[in-house]
Amino acid sequence: TMQSSGHRFRDVEHHPLLAENDNYDSSSSEADMAERVWFIRDGCGMVCAIMTWLLVVYADFVVTFVMLLPSKDFWYSVINGVLFNCLAVLALSSHLRTMLTDPGAVPKGNATKEYMDNLQLKPGEVIYKCPKCCSIKPERAHHCSICKRCIRKMDHHCPWVNNCVGEKNQRFFVLFTMYIALISAHALILCGFQFFSCVRGQWTECSDFSPPVTVILMIFLCLEGFLFLTFTAVMFGTQIHSICNDETEIERLKSEKPTWERRLRWEGMKSVFGGQPSLLWINPFAGFRIRRLLLRAKKGGPEFSV
């Protein structure tokens, strides 16, 4: 513990303070971070993210070309095809928003005397510094060893979205788990109807593929659907429970006693999803600005944050 600008500064691991002449530019912290395209260059996370997309595309292929297009019931094919593909687009859009949204990263190396003076802290007030990314650590922030940043209200790091789930992208992660669970359940229901119709009729007539290929494709889809439905439904329930209790997964696992004022259940939902309940809550495109993205590209292309 050491004195600085009338308040106490505690380093979690007793590392020295970042020197004032270290390479931290206070003018390029929050404002510049908002102009960056967030992307984590983690090999495992990128592989998992690509696998997620490939599995959704595979499910869409089997549903569309193996089960729906060969069907003799026109409206059955149209209604289920439109519904499944809309859910798939919403799921993949939610995945992209989760992966490419800054989860609430604290600027690196902002633990300088100049920055602390700008905080206008009260005399004797204790603040904490993360020794790994040399940043002032806000309350409820945790350091992610993969993102190499402190993340505000970090819930966990998910390799399937190649990003942390934190203060700014938790909503998109919840939508991602919800839509994946819905398309998994829809695919399982369609598989059940398809098996029933094929067994009742002729296997050679219920699909444009040969019976062995049809069976193999549908078995793999059933396995994928069951696994994804189980995983995402549990994750969705866990996330909603955490939001309603105003508690992150890390705080729950560490049994941290809340030093903050807990929000009421409904207030927690409104805080994460934004405003009063509406269809915008389940819209992953809400808040997306194409014009802003184009302006960033004109300024010199996307800048990848790690």
Side-chain angles (χ1 to χ4, degrees), residues 68-306:
L68 296 182
L69 288 181
S71 175
K72 297 178 181 179
D73 190 334
F74 174 77
W75 289 111
Y76 171 83
S77 300
V78 170
I79 293 173
N80 283 287
V82 170
L83 178 60
F84 188 89
N85 281 278
C86 285
L87 290 174
V89 169
L90 290 170
L92 294 179
S93 300
S94 301
H95 183 273
L96 276 178
R97 293 299 300 272
T98 308
M99 181 170 62
L100 301 179
T101 299
D102 177 357
V106 180
K108 281 185 179 180
N110 65 354
T112 63
K113 184 178 183 298
E114 178 186 1
Y115 186 82
M116 287 185 287
D117 289 340
N118 292 334
L119 293 178
Q120 297 180 346
L121 298 171
K122 298 176 181 179
E125 187 173 350
V126 177
I127 57 177
Y128 294 89
K129 172 198 160 219
C130 176
K132 297 175 182 178
C133 57
C134 294
S135 63
I136 294 177
K137 202 170 186 178
E139 187 179 36
R140 305 186 70 182
H142 294 274
H143 185 87
C144 176
S145 58
I146 299 176
C147 296
K148 298 180 176 61
R149 302 289 284 272
C150 282
I151 307 296
R152 294 184 180 91
K153 287 185 67 177
M154 175 180 169
D155 188 84
H156 68 287
H157 185 94
C158 179
W160 294 104
V161 297
N162 189 34
N163 201 0
C164 276
V165 177
E167 185 177 64
K168 296 182 179 179
N169 68 345
Q170 188 175 22
R171 168 176 170 260
F172 302 121
F173 181 75
V174 172
L175 294 181
F176 168 66
T177 58
M178 182 183 74
Y179 286 124
I180 290 292
L182 288 175
I183 64 172
S184 299
H186 192 192
L188 289 173
I189 293 172
L190 291 175
C191 281
F193 279 115
Q194 187 73 9
F195 273 120
F196 179 75
S197 63
C198 289
V199 170
R200 189 179 59 177
Q202 295 293 328
W203 276 93
T204 54
E205 296 179 1
C206 71
S207 176
D208 293 336
F209 294 85
S210 64
V213 173
T214 301
V215 172
I216 291 173
L217 290 174
M218 291 176 63
I219 287 176
F220 274 112
L221 179 59
C222 287
L223 291 174
E224 176 192 341
F226 177 76
L227 291 175
F228 267 70
L229 175 61
T230 304
F231 174 76
T232 54
V234 170
M235 184 60 70
F236 174 77
T238 302
Q239 287 292 303
I240 295 297
H241 181 267
S242 297
I243 293 171
C244 290
N245 289 338
D246 195 14
E247 182 181 49
T248 66
E249 187 66 16
I250 292 179
E251 291 164 352
R252 187 186 68 81
L253 292 174
K254 290 185 175 181
S255 299
E256 295 184 2
K257 295 182 179 179
T259 56
W260 61 93
E261 185 178 352
R262 286 185 184 270
R263 293 187 176 95
L264 297 175
R265 293 188 176 185
W266 202 240
E267 292 299 321
M269 293 289 289
K270 290 194 290 185
S271 172
V272 171
F273 289 92
Q276 296 297 325
S278 68
L279 290 177
L280 293 177
W281 278 25
I282 59 174
N283 179 13
F285 300 102
F288 182 69
R289 298 289 183 269
I290 297 179
R291 184 179 177 184
R292 183 182 299 176
L293 191 63
L294 293 176
L295 288 174
R296 291 176 188 175
K298 289 181 181 179
K299 289 181 180 179
E303 185 173 359
F304 294 99
S305 300
V306 293

Side-chain angles (χ1 to χ4, degrees), residues 8-24:
R8 290 179 292 169
F9 190 99
R10 286 186 180 176
D11 187 300
V12 178
E13 295 183 12
H14 309 290
H15 285 211
L17 271 171
L18 181 72
E20 290 185 50
N21 57 358
D22 281 350
N23 57 354
Y24 171 71

